[in-house]
Amino acid sequence: MAANLLNLSSSFTPSIQSLPRNPNFTQFISVPTPKTNKSLIQSKIREIFMPALSSTMTEGKIVSWAKSEGDKLSKGDSVVVVESDKADMDVETFYDGYLAAIMVEVGGVATVGSAIALLAESEDEISEAKAKAANSSASSSQYPSPPSDVVTETVTTPPPDPTPVATAAAAVAKPVTVASTHPASEGGKRVVASPYAKKLAKELNVDLNKLVGSGPTGRIVAKDVEAAAASRAVGVETGKASAAKVVSDSAGIELGSVVPFTTMQNAVSRNMVESLNVPTFRVGYTINTDALDALYKKIKSKGVTMTALLAKATALALVKHPVVNSSCRDGKSFTYNSSINIAVAVAMDGGLITPVLQYADKVDIYSLSRKWKDLVDKARAKQLQPHEYTTGTFTLSNLGMFGVDRFDAILPPGNGAIMAVGSSQPTIVATKECRIGVKSQMQVNVTADHRIIYGADLAAFMQTLAQIIEDPKDLTF
C-alpha cells in the first residue's frame, strides 16, 4: 500500500488558491499578485508529512527511508516506509524533485500531519531546504502541523505483490556488497526483505546478508530473522564493563528491561481501554464437534482450514440472528450491518490484528479458505490494507490449537459480539438412552454488548450455531 502526501510551501508570499479537489489528488497553484503581469519563477520547497494510514492512527514510526538525502525523485516514487498501528506502508511523492532533508530518522516517531522531510524542486534549492530543516524544532514529533488553509490528501493503493522487487529495499544509505548472489537479492546488489524483517533484524542485531529467506522467491520475512536470533545467545553489554545483562537465548529478550509499546501495542492498548466503557455480558455453550471433525478431515486436503469452517458456520448463524451482527457506536442507536464480515484474531510479533473475511455467509468454503490464507500471509508481513482489518462486524478468537479449553474474549470497539473458541476434546457424556458415551466437544464463550444484545438473543444464536456445527452439511454449499 502506498500513501501520497506532499504539501507545498514557499519562501515568498503569493496568494494561494486551492483548486477543486477530486477523489484522488489534491493540488495547489501559486498565483502571482494582480499588481504585475510578469511571470514569477520562485523556488518550491515542499514538506512530506506523516500520513494518517488508518482511522485510529495518531502517530507513525519511520521503518526505513527508501531514498537518501540528495536523491532525485519522480512523481510516484516510494520515499519512506512508515509503521502505522497495524501495517507497514510506503509513502510516495506527488512531485518531481530532490529529497533535500530528512527530519525524522529511522526509528523516529512523528505525529500525524507533522513534517518528516523536505523536498526541493531543484538541486540549487537543496541547501535552502537544509537550512529550513535546521531551523525547525529539534524534535520532529513536535514539528508544527500544516496550516489550516493547506490540505493534505492520503491516497491508498493496493500493496505490491510480494515479489523480489521490494518497495523499500533501498532503506540503507550505501549498497551492501556480498560475495555471491543471495537467493533473496537482485543479482547480489541488495537483500530483499519485508520492512518488518528489516526492522526486527536491526533490533536483534541480525545480519540479513547471512540469511536465506523462506518467503516468496526467497524474500526474508520476520520468522527468518527470529530463527536466526534464536539460534544464538545474544550478549548485551551494559554501561559498566564488568556487568552483563541477562538475555533470553530463545528470543533475545533482555530480562528486567523496560520496553516501550510499539505502534501496534499502543493501538491495542487504546482499543482495550475503550472497551471498558461498554457494558458486556458473557454466555457459554458446549457444542459437539464429531461431525465437524469428520468434515474437516474429508476436505482438509483441498486447502480448507478449521478457521474457515468456524467462520462460515458463524456467518450462517448470524444470518438468522442479525441483532448479534449489529453494532453500537454512539451509545444512542445501533446499526443492523448490511454484510456479515467475520474478523478473526491473529497473533503477531508484539501485537494482535484481526483480518476480516468479508461476506463470509455468501462465499463458498474453498474460496473462504484461500482468502484466509492470503490474509494471514499479508498480516504477518504487515501488508494488510485498512479495509482488510477494520470492516469486521463480528469477531472470532480461536485458541483451541493451543489446547486451551475455554476463555473469555474482550469485545473490540465497534462490534456487537466476539466469540472465544476453545479446543475440541473427547468428553465422557450421557446419551439420551441413559448410557455413557464419548463425544468430541468444544466450549464457546460469547462476549456481547448488553446495550443492544440481550441474553435471549445470544442464547438463540448459540443454539443455531450448535445446530450448524453438529450437522455441517450446509458448510460446503
Side-chain angles (χ1 to χ4, degrees):
M1 166 172 305
N4 303 48
L5 56 165
L6 286 169
N7 170 40
L8 170 63
S9 64
S10 179
S11 58
F12 65 101
T13 56
S15 61
I16 304 295
Q17 176 182 353
S18 295
L19 291 177
R21 294 172 56 187
N22 64 41
N24 297 317
F25 297 92
T26 299
Q27 294 180 315
F28 308 92
I29 182 170
S30 300
V31 182
T33 57
K35 296 180 180 180
T36 177
N37 293 325
K38 183 179 179 180
S39 298
L40 297 178
I41 301 176
Q42 302 288 349
S43 65
K44 294 185 179 67
I45 298 176
R46 299 179 171 93
E47 296 170 326
I48 303 177
F49 293 118
M50 175 62 71
L53 301 175
S54 72
S55 59
T56 59
M57 179 177 170
T58 58
E59 61 183 23
K61 184 177 181 180
I62 304 299
V63 175
S64 63
W65 284 96
K67 300 292 183 180
S68 302
E69 288 187 352
D71 285 354
K72 185 174 182 179
L73 302 177
S74 298
K75 180 179 177 180
D77 283 351
S78 294
V79 180
V80 61
V81 179
V82 172
E83 179 188 37
S84 71
D85 49 2
K86 298 294 183 182
D88 291 349
M89 302 182 187
D90 289 351
V91 176
E92 297 178 351
T93 173
F94 268 159
Y95 303 96
D96 297 335
Y98 294 84
L99 183 58
I102 293 176
M103 303 173 67
V104 182
E105 297 295 338
V106 173
V109 176
T111 56
V112 170
S114 62
I116 58 177
L118 296 180
L119 181 74
E121 190 175 57
S122 66
E123 287 186 279
D124 295 337
E125 293 150 6
I126 292 179
S127 58
E128 180 183 350
K130 286 182 177 293
K132 285 190 175 184
N135 293 331
S136 65
S137 173
S139 174
S140 298
S141 60
Q142 300 299 319
Y143 196 84
S145 298
S148 58
D149 62 338
V150 176
V151 182
T152 60
E153 180 79 359
T154 299
V155 180
T156 59
T157 57
D161 188 67
T163 60
V165 185
T167 55
V172 292
K174 296 180 180 180
V176 178
T177 59
V178 293
S180 60
T181 300
H182 193 276
S185 67
E186 295 179 355
K189 295 180 180 179
R190 60 180 182 176
V191 174
V192 177
S194 69
Y196 184 64
K198 292 181 179 180
K199 182 184 73 170
L200 198 62
K202 179 173 290 186
E203 293 174 350
L204 299 181
N205 194 26
V206 173
D207 187 357
L208 291 176
N209 297 289
K210 298 180 180 179
L211 300 186
V212 176
S214 62
T217 64
R219 189 185 195 200
I220 297 173
V221 294
K223 65 180 182 180
D224 301 323
V225 179
E226 292 169 339
S231 66
R232 59 181 172 82
V234 181
V236 182
E237 296 183 357
T238 62
K240 298 180 180 180
S242 59
K245 295 181 180 179
V246 180
V247 177
S248 169
D249 291 344
S250 60
I253 297 174
E254 182 183 317
L255 302 181
S257 62
V258 177
V259 181
F261 278 171
T262 64
T263 308
M264 178 178 289
Q265 287 170 330
N266 271 320
V268 172
S269 176
R270 288 194 300 269
N271 286 341
M272 296 302 97
V273 172
E274 183 180 341
S275 296
L276 295 177
N277 297 322
V278 178
T280 59
F281 73 107
R282 297 167 178 82
V283 174
Y285 206 94
T286 301
I287 302 177
N288 295 327
T289 63
D290 288 325
L292 183 67
D293 293 339
L295 175 63
Y296 175 59
K297 290 180 181 178
K298 182 179 179 181
I299 60 179
K300 180 181 179 180
S301 60
K302 299 180 181 179
V304 175
T305 66
M306 180 58 75
T307 296
L309 283 170
L310 291 173
K312 182 69 173 181
T314 302
L316 293 179
L318 290 173
V319 170
K320 299 180 180 180
H321 303 277
V323 69
V324 183
N325 191 53
S326 62
S327 58
C328 174
R329 291 180 172 83
D330 59 5
K332 300 177 182 179
S333 62
F334 67 97
T335 302
Y336 286 107
N337 291 303
S338 58
S339 59
I340 296 177
N341 301 336
I342 306 297
V344 185
V346 173
M348 296 178 60
D349 298 322
L352 178 75
I353 197 168
T354 52
V356 177
L357 290 167
Q358 297 180 329
Y359 307 102
D361 57 318
K362 298 177 181 179
V363 179
D364 68 86
I365 190 63
Y366 305 103
S367 298
L368 202 65
S369 294
R370 289 192 296 270
K371 181 62 176 176
W372 176 242
K373 183 180 184 303
D374 178 60
L375 287 171
V376 171
D377 290 343
K378 293 172 71 174
R380 296 277 162 79
K382 302 190 74 175
Q383 293 179 343
L384 287 174
Q385 300 181 51
H387 74 271
E388 293 177 318
Y389 61 82
T390 61
T391 55
T393 59
F394 184 97
T395 302
L396 182 66
S397 181
N398 181 13
L399 292 179
M401 71 285 291
F402 298 106
V404 174
D405 58 359
R406 71 188 69 193
F407 69 102
D408 290 328
I410 299 176
L411 184 68
N415 277 195
I418 180 174
M419 183 166 71
V421 180
S423 63
S424 176
Q425 299 178 347
T427 307
I428 298 176
V429 298
T431 66
K432 292 181 180 180
E433 296 78 16
C434 297
R435 296 182 179 182
I436 300 298
V438 177
K439 290 183 177 294
S440 293
Q441 294 183 332
M442 71 177 182
Q443 304 290 329
V444 296
N445 291 332
V446 178
T447 302
D449 185 343
H450 212 329
R451 296 174 299 177
I452 56 177
I453 301 172
Y454 306 127
D457 299 323
L458 214 51
F461 162 75
M462 297 181 80
Q463 281 184 329
T464 301
L465 177 65
Q467 292 170 2
I468 293 172
I469 290 177
E470 293 173 1
D471 184 16
K473 62 180 183 298
D474 292 338
L475 297 183
T476 54
F477 292 96

